[in-house]
Amino acid sequence: MHTMRLLASYRQHAYLSNLVSQLTQSCLRDSRPHTGLLTRLNHLKYLSTAPNDVKKEEKSPQTYEVTFVKRNGDRIKASGKEGDSLLDVVVNNNLDFDGFGACEGTLTCSTCHVILKKQDYDKLPEKPSEEELDMLDLAFELTDTSRLGCQIMLSKDLDGLEVQLPSTINDARG
């Protein structure tokens, strides 16, 4: 069991190191703040900071349900941990949404565009950043309650969240 914890801790450390490297490279390329990566880094605070750090009796994060509604009416339920983004939920549950999250949450595309109900949109703790709004301007089927899934983090208030997926995506990188 101890070996499994060390392995999990090592993987988390490698993932965090990769995000820090991406952030550093992005900041060197241009001077705009990269809030997508910063947001993801902030939500990884439960991770170990070094492979040998194994935390004592740490409570596992709470899990929450999300329902993704496709344009054809198909409803796909999935769950994620507190602090996971909707993009993380799609990736971690191996959901097959064509092209969803192509930039892996770095706010350089609009492929994780989702549409929320007004009451759910109003529950979000943070309003979209300028960088997110720039990407949303390039998304198809934009609404007043559109957000990028990589910027919506699961929390107790969002348990049972239902999001509508647009019928098509626009990869702003292409």
Side-chain angles (χ1 to χ4, degrees):
M1 185 65 157
H2 182 69
T3 303
M4 294 301 284
R5 282 187 183 167
L6 284 176
L7 181 59
S9 178
Y10 177 77
R11 285 183 181 148
Q12 291 168 344
H13 176 72
Y15 178 70
L16 184 60
S17 294
N18 183 32
L19 285 178
V20 169
S21 175
Q22 286 178 24
L23 177 62
T24 302
Q25 290 171 7
S26 295
C27 288
L28 290 175
R29 280 196 303 271
D30 65 43
S31 60
R32 291 186 334 171
H34 293 274
T35 56
L37 285 173
L38 289 172
T39 301
R40 289 178 73 186
L41 287 170
N42 285 337
H43 287 89
L44 292 173
K45 59 186 161 194
Y46 65 89
L47 295 178
S48 297
T49 56
N52 294 331
D53 292 347
V54 178
K55 299 191 178 180
K56 301 181 234 165
E57 293 293 319
E58 187 172 308
K59 291 193 324 188
S60 57
Q62 181 70 33
T63 58
Y64 303 109
E65 282 217 354
V66 178
T67 302
F68 295 91
V69 182
K70 293 174 130 182
R71 247 330 149 186
N72 65 5
D74 287 351
R75 301 169 66 78
I76 294 101
K77 289 190 180 231
S79 61
K81 297 176 185 165
E82 178 132 12
D84 281 353
S85 70
L86 292 183
L87 175 59
D88 294 331
V89 173
V90 170
V91 170
N92 294 341
N93 288 280
N94 296 316
L95 302 180
D96 187 20
F97 300 145
D98 190 34
F100 193 92
C103 76
E104 300 176 353
T106 60
L107 275 173
T108 57
C109 75
S110 58
T111 60
C112 64
H113 170 221
V114 295
I115 302 164
L116 290 86
K117 295 176 183 172
K118 176 73 170 133
Q119 65 267 26
D120 292 330
Y121 183 87
D122 292 339
K123 287 182 195 175
L124 297 176
E126 298 174 11
K127 298 300 174 203
S129 67
E130 284 300 317
E131 196 170 8
E132 180 180 358
L133 290 172
D134 289 345
M135 288 297 107
L136 281 169
D137 284 342
L138 304 172
F140 292 135
E141 301 174 24
L142 189 65
T143 72
D144 289 341
T145 59
S146 289
R147 289 294 302 265
L148 295 180
C150 64
Q151 299 302 297
I152 299 173
M153 304 304 165
L154 294 182
S155 67
K156 180 180 171 184
D157 292 338
L158 297 178
D159 190 23
L161 180 67
E162 182 176 294
V163 296
Q164 180 79 38
L165 298 175
S167 57
T168 187
I169 60 166
N170 180 31
D171 189 344
R173 301 173 305 158

